[in-house]
Amino acid sequence: MAGGGNAIRGSRVGAGPMGEAERGDAAPRQAVTYYCSHEHRSMVAFSIEAVVPESWDCPKCGLPASMDSENPPPAPKIEPYKTHLAYVKERRSDAEAAGILDEAVALLRSRRKSGDVVF
Ligand SMILES: [Zn+2]
């Protein structure tokens, strides 16, 4: 860290008035895109010497964001609206509930039938 700062400061000292200082500022960077669970995309520029963190707080909503767009880190707080995953889970549980209901109805009917026979 301190070494990098010194290097930049050194290049600035040697920079002339022809925009060379600006070139020095823009040169050694890497842009990393982070995705949060709100589907915000945040481009963060790091020095090439910097260790890029695996997660970054989304500057738009403050949620943790990761570099994996398909698998953003889950929100630590309760979501004000449903995420895609919540919808998928809800659909799945609906299907399961429907299946359970079908079974229950079938069981009820078979009991009723057998009851008719026995009594
Ligand atoms: Zn966000």
Side-chain angles (χ1 to χ4, degrees), residues 51-100:
V51 178
V52 175
E54 284 194 11
S55 67
W56 191 261
D57 285 348
C58 174
K60 286 169 186 144
C61 66
L63 293 179
S66 78
M67 286 178 272
D68 186 352
S69 63
E70 289 180 15
N71 189 26
K77 296 170 202 160
I78 293 159
E79 297 270 318
Y81 58 83
K82 283 172 187 168
T83 62
H84 290 307
L85 189 64
Y87 276 119
V88 169
K89 275 182 183 167
E90 196 169 71
R91 246 178 253 154
R92 194 185 298 154
S93 66
D94 275 351
E96 280 171 7
I100 288 162

Side-chain angles (χ1 to χ4, degrees), residues 34-42 57-65:
Y34 290 98
Y35 305 86
C36 80
S37 55
H38 285 169
E39 298 180 4
H40 294 140
R41 249 191 273 175
S42 312
D57 285 348
C58 174
K60 286 169 186 144
C61 66
L63 293 179

